[in-house]
Amino acid sequence: MLKAKIAVFVSGGGTNLQALIDAQKSGAIQHGEIALVVSSNPEAYALERARAAGIDAVAFSRKQLGADGFERAIEAELSERNVQLIILAGFLSILSEDFTARHAGHIINIHPSLIPSFCGKGFYGLRVHEAALERGVKVTGATVHYVNEIPDGGEIILQKAVDILPDDTPESLQRRVMEQAEWILLPRAAEMLCREIVERS
Ligand code: GRF
């Protein structure tokens, strides 16, 4: 079967990348194949996960290459492998408007809240969950959305709600949102979009 080529962009632990790798192995992702992992951080554990799964992995430093050089290096890797879907999974580097426009409709992100709550500039990692607990909301969750030039501003693709419990800490909440929402939603969205890409081609 024809499969859409996926690139996963990471910066850290890569548990969402792992969920995608596992989904590919189990057959939950049938219409796509992870062809490349791009890290903005050479130390990211996500790179180990990619290598363990036999997936090509590269790391580029925006600091060393500059913003333009960084994106040019990434583009070269993408076109070499004919990547059709880019998945940002804990990618902490900001991509330029040019880059997101070039890949419009083919670049998605997972955010650990129910957008439009607790999203946008400055809302990443534990900060998202700290803000939700501070505000006292009783339900949070995760969102998969298309990426455009506005941080967390692109069209929403999938969302899943997660209850907040009275004793939650930012850490316990982060973990539950991953387990109950992120690791389920991201593979589901990947399969959905890859299927569309394959059916269109
Ligand atoms: C996740 O919470 C994701 O939603 C956010 O960054 C975190 C990445 O975690 N964008 P991991 O690297 O996938 O473990």
Side-chain angles (χ1 to χ4, degrees), residues 10-18 46 49 88-92 109-113 123-126 128-129 142-143 152 174 177-178 182-183 186:
V10 297
S11 300
T15 62
N16 280 287
L17 167 65
Q18 192 64 54
R49 297 180 189 271
L88 308 187
F91 187 65
L92 293 177
N109 179 48
I110 177 105
H111 181 77
S113 77
F123 284 101
Y124 60 87
L126 271 183
V128 179
H129 305 291
T143 303
D152 300 324
Q174 180 181 49
V177 168
M178 283 178 159
E182 295 184 50
W183 301 340
L186 196 56

Side-chain angles (χ1 to χ4, degrees), residues 79-136:
S79 56
E80 192 181 307
R81 293 172 182 78
N82 293 316
V83 167
Q84 290 158 295
L85 179 65
I86 298 169
I87 301 179
L88 308 187
F91 187 65
L92 293 177
S93 199
I94 300 286
L95 293 164
S96 71
E97 195 169 336
D98 276 358
F99 188 97
T100 58
R102 240 184 343 260
H103 298 283
H106 293 263
I107 176 165
I108 65 173
N109 179 48
I110 177 105
H111 181 77
S113 77
L114 293 174
I115 290 176
S117 291
F118 313 117
C119 67
K121 213 165 175 261
F123 284 101
Y124 60 87
L126 271 183
R127 291 183 190 200
V128 179
H129 305 291
E130 278 162 10
L133 290 175
E134 242 161 60
R135 186 62 185 82

